[in-house]
Amino acid sequence: MALEGGFTAVYLARHGQTLWNTQGRRQGQLDSPLTTLGVEQVRRNAGLLSVEPVDAVFSSPLGRARASAQVLGASLGLPVVVLEGLGEVDHGGFAGLTSAQIEAAYPRQLAVRERDKYRFRFPGGESYADADLRVRRVLAAIARTGARRPLLVSHEMLGRMLLKNLAGLSSEDALRLGHPWDVVYRVVPGQSRIERL
């Protein structure tokens, strides 16, 4: 069985490691460049995808994801289509800050977030619940393009909501998932199967 629009498989890649990742800074919809290791991770992912029947590449508009998607798209011989809906969850006032800086600027808010990560809205930003609605819209837009085996290049937090919708996961199960920089997931929607390439 295929998801709406006829997806037979959807591939999910995260951008490579960035400078801010190494510094423990939340990025959200701010940006920082890929590290040397991050570029190597993207090239490794390109190798993994080279034997897969990907038929379209869609990317977050953020620089770290676009840079990663360009490498992947070039390796696959496919153009990259940028979609705003694939951008990372907006971290609002937390963006650019480390955990210590967040605790100083927003006392106890990290603890509040731990109690209900799905509904917690970053100050001036989004919640996972907001991103979940956005993901439904972007998946419908991708389905309308006619792509059956698309590669989506995005981010760890948004990726959890992509996995939730594609594999029919509960929000609790989706939030337990991680997405390392050097891993590509293949989701077979009708079978609710998540495979690691």
Side-chain angles (χ1 to χ4, degrees):
M1 181 198 313
L3 193 69
E4 67 174 302
F7 294 145
T8 57
V10 179
Y11 298 86
L12 302 178
R14 183 182 175 190
H15 60 80
Q17 182 197 66
T18 69
L19 178 62
W20 279 11
N21 290 144
T22 67
Q23 297 173 349
R25 293 183 181 280
R26 308 295 203 287
Q27 292 178 116
Q29 295 191 352
L30 297 182
D31 229 336
S32 69
L34 298 180
T35 62
T36 301
L37 176 59
V39 173
E40 291 171 12
Q41 291 164 338
V42 174
R43 289 182 180 144
R44 178 187 179 280
N45 289 346
L48 293 173
L49 286 159
S50 66
V51 296
E52 298 293 325
V54 175
D55 63 359
V57 179
F58 298 90
S59 174
S60 156
L62 298 171
R64 59 194 185 271
R66 288 179 74 168
S68 300
Q70 290 299 331
V71 172
L72 298 170
S75 173
L76 293 165
L78 293 168
V80 175
V81 177
V82 175
L83 295 176
E84 292 292 324
L86 290 174
E88 179 60 300
V89 175
D90 187 342
H91 285 48
F94 286 16
L97 304 180
T98 64
S99 292
Q101 291 169 330
I102 291 167
E103 191 58 42
Y106 300 93
R108 296 177 296 285
Q109 286 304 292
L110 289 174
V112 171
R113 180 174 184 261
E114 283 304 311
R115 290 196 289 273
D116 189 358
K117 278 190 177 179
Y118 184 72
R119 290 177 190 81
F120 178 87
R121 182 171 286 120
F122 291 107
E126 289 181 297
S127 65
Y128 270 115
D130 297 327
D132 195 359
L133 295 173
R134 180 158 53 90
V135 159
R136 291 178 206 165
R137 291 191 297 269
V138 79
L139 286 173
I142 292 167
R144 287 193 297 272
T145 70
R148 294 178 57 78
R149 296 172 305 278
L151 166 63
L152 313 184
V153 184
S154 65
H155 309 271
E156 184 168 47
M157 290 180 68
L158 192 86
R160 290 183 178 116
M161 295 301 96
L162 288 166
L163 288 167
K164 176 184 180 291
N165 282 273
L166 291 166
L169 303 176
S170 68
S171 56
E172 294 80 11
D173 287 343
L175 292 180
R176 280 193 280 271
L177 298 174
H179 194 163
W181 301 291
D182 59 351
V183 168
V184 176
Y185 289 120
R186 176 175 50 220
V187 185
V188 181
Q191 301 171 22
S192 298
R193 196 168 77 224
I194 302 169
E195 302 168 331
R196 183 173 168 153
L197 298 188

